[in-house]
Amino acid sequence: MNAMTENTIRQEQIESLCRMMAGFSHDMKNHLGIIRESNGLMGDIVEMGGLGEDEQAMERFKKSIAAIERRVVLSANMFHHLSRLAHRSDTPYSSFQLNDLIGEECAFLERFSKLKQIELVLELGDGLHPIYSDPSLLQHVLYRLYTQCLEQMESGSSLVIITGQEGKNMIITFRLLATAQLDITKLAGETLLSAIEKLNGILEPGESTSEYTDIRLRISSLSLEQ
Amino acid sequence: MTDIKLLIIDDEVEFAATLCQRLQLRGIDATDMHSGGEGLAVLEEVAPEIVILDLKMPDMSGLDVLAEIKKYDPTIEVIMLTGHGSAGSGIEAMEKGAFDYIMKPVDLQELLEKINSAAEQRSKA
């Protein structure tokens, strides 16, 4: 792979992270907005005469407390995923569980699905071996494929991400429900295909029926921990 | 600031509902709706003077909803809510007819001032 392609992959990798971070910051602003308004509402109730015997005020107060608690938990989860996602690039190659990587990345992808009104469903296979690969680059490839799948889909449909293992290969299937067959080479583009190649991976068409179209990403582990 | 008829359109249900309650406690006749489509559907019934409108929603973009509101009644003043870190999207909305914009998380005092200014602007229309 030439230096120019390496640089382009690197640039696109940074772009992917930036877009995920932009989505993350939007989500966090929403959580903080709700915490601020709920806290403000409690302050309003206290300032406007306290709870006293006012059952409606008490109900609003309790709802605000519950909303703050819920949003703090959601925010803490997002930060947990952010920390895991960010640390994936600590070492260029490492051994990791594919399902963990997909789970943490999807915490950031759900927002994009929601905006396009597409349901994101995970069907993570059981008992997959750890994979030895470049987790940060794989995050980028998954993000790109995911966003390109979304672009092809109509609102109201579902995107299912399925993981499995075939011998030493990890298989990640993007199942696009209610979507006609796609030309995956056009979908991916040259740089993304180079990034997949760098991962010892292959992007291939999967099963296609009248109900869905599958796109399969096959990743070979450099050495699988048994 | 009492008697102002105001409509909040934001897909974050908890945010819209809580902000709505806080505005009601200040005497504003506020209603909340949770999608662009829902908001447009109640324009006639609610007859808002001011709309607080989220820029990014799943069913319709805030800019599209803004255009529909202005088509329905150009005198309705719209204050955009934006989660963007920069003012760019808010300014773009103002170029398309929004009265003003405010960033999330919202400073209520700042929002009340903008509502007041929008009401004054509307009374001149």
Side-chain angles (χ1 to χ4, degrees):
Chain A
M1 189 174 295
N2 65 38
M4 207 168 136
T5 308
E6 286 272 4
N7 273 342
T8 314
I9 291 173
R10 204 73 188 152
Q11 272 175 6
E12 288 195 353
Q13 209 174 337
I14 292 167
E15 268 177 40
S16 297
L17 270 175
C18 290
R19 284 185 204 160
M20 279 194 276
M21 290 311 101
F24 168 77
S25 64
H26 274 271
D27 277 347
M28 287 310 300
K29 279 185 179 184
N30 275 330
H31 295 322
L32 290 172
I34 289 162
I35 290 169
R36 187 173 193 171
E37 289 314 312
S38 302
N39 186 55
L41 180 61
M42 291 197 295
D44 290 347
I45 292 168
V46 170
E47 238 174 63
M48 293 175 179
L51 295 169
E53 298 296 311
D54 186 343
E55 278 184 23
Q56 196 188 11
M58 178 64 88
E59 201 48 45
R60 283 175 169 174
F61 210 87
K62 282 182 184 168
K63 273 190 177 171
S64 291
I65 291 171
I68 290 170
E69 173 64 21
R70 197 164 45 246
R71 293 294 164 163
V72 167
V73 169
L74 285 170
S75 303
N77 273 339
M78 288 294 289
F79 276 116
H80 171 72
H81 288 306
L82 176 64
S83 168
R84 297 278 304 267
L85 185 112
H87 280 298
R88 290 291 183 191
S89 61
D90 287 354
T91 47
Y93 285 88
S94 58
S95 181
F96 58 91
Q97 286 289 349
L98 180 66
N99 287 348
D100 290 348
L101 183 130
I102 289 180
E104 72 205 23
E105 188 161 2
C106 283
F108 297 90
L109 303 183
E110 268 177 356
R111 174 187 171 78
F112 302 107
S113 299
K114 193 179 152 199
L115 277 174
K116 218 184 155 191
Q117 295 182 297
I118 289 170
E119 184 191 21
L120 175 61
V121 182
L122 293 185
E123 287 182 12
L124 304 178
D126 290 328
L128 305 188
H129 285 132
I131 183 172
Y132 184 76
S133 187
D134 181 341
S136 189
L137 185 61
L138 181 54
Q139 277 172 343
H140 158 65
V141 165
L142 292 174
Y143 171 79
R144 285 291 161 135
L145 287 173
Y146 163 83
T147 52
Q148 284 167 358
C149 287
L150 281 192
E151 277 173 24
Q152 307 297 320
M153 298 176 75
E154 296 292 331
S155 295
S157 53
S158 301
L159 174 59
V160 188
I161 300 177
I162 305 160
T163 59
Q165 186 172 353
E166 287 176 6
K168 288 189 171 184
N169 294 315
M170 292 295 160
I171 312 292
I172 304 154
T173 305
F174 291 82
R175 177 161 291 169
L176 292 74
L177 268 65
T179 308
Q181 199 164 2
L182 299 166
D183 181 341
I184 50 167
T185 50
K186 274 188 193 159
L187 181 74
E190 205 177 307
T191 313
L192 184 55
L193 289 174
S194 300
I196 291 169
E197 190 187 323
K198 203 177 164 197
L199 282 168
N200 272 345
I202 299 168
L203 187 66
E204 56 193 13
E207 201 180 345
S208 187
T209 71
S210 56
E211 289 172 2
Y212 60 81
T213 291
D214 282 355
I215 294 167
R216 279 162 54 102
L217 176 64
R218 180 189 295 268
I219 301 288
S220 301
S221 180
L222 291 181
S223 71
L224 275 176
E225 287 181 3
Q226 298 301 320
Chain B
M1 206 186 287
T2 52
D3 298 333
I4 294 173
K5 275 185 173 286
L6 183 143
L7 175 64
I8 301 167
I9 307 174
D10 193 317
D11 64 303
E12 277 292 339
V13 180
E14 277 183 311
F15 172 80
T18 313
L19 181 62
C20 186
Q21 286 179 43
R22 297 193 74 196
L23 295 177
Q24 286 168 350
L25 286 171
R26 284 160 178 81
I28 294 172
D29 184 1
T31 305
D32 59 310
M33 288 292 147
H34 309 126
S35 71
E38 276 182 19
L40 291 174
V42 298
L43 279 180
E44 197 177 334
E45 183 192 329
V46 175
E49 296 155 72
I50 297 166
V51 174
I52 296 174
L53 173 62
D54 190 20
L55 198 61
K56 260 199 170 170
M57 291 180 288
D59 67 328
M60 283 175 86
S61 88
L63 291 179
D64 291 340
V65 180
L66 169 67
E68 290 297 319
I69 291 171
K70 287 290 177 184
K71 209 189 288 176
Y72 172 77
D73 180 354
T75 69
I76 296 175
E77 299 297 353
V78 180
I79 299 168
M80 304 299 296
L81 281 171
T82 168
H84 285 269
S86 71
S89 51
I91 291 167
E92 188 192 349
M94 286 176 75
E95 285 167 358
K96 292 182 173 169
F99 173 76
D100 207 340
Y101 68 92
I102 191 160
M103 287 197 194
K104 283 183 178 178
V106 171
D107 179 311
L108 189 70
Q109 200 48 46
E110 189 188 346
L111 178 63
L112 289 170
E113 283 164 18
K114 287 181 191 291
I115 291 171
N116 208 19
S117 304
E120 276 176 27
Q121 174 78 17
R122 158 111 178 165
S123 66
K124 289 177 200 161

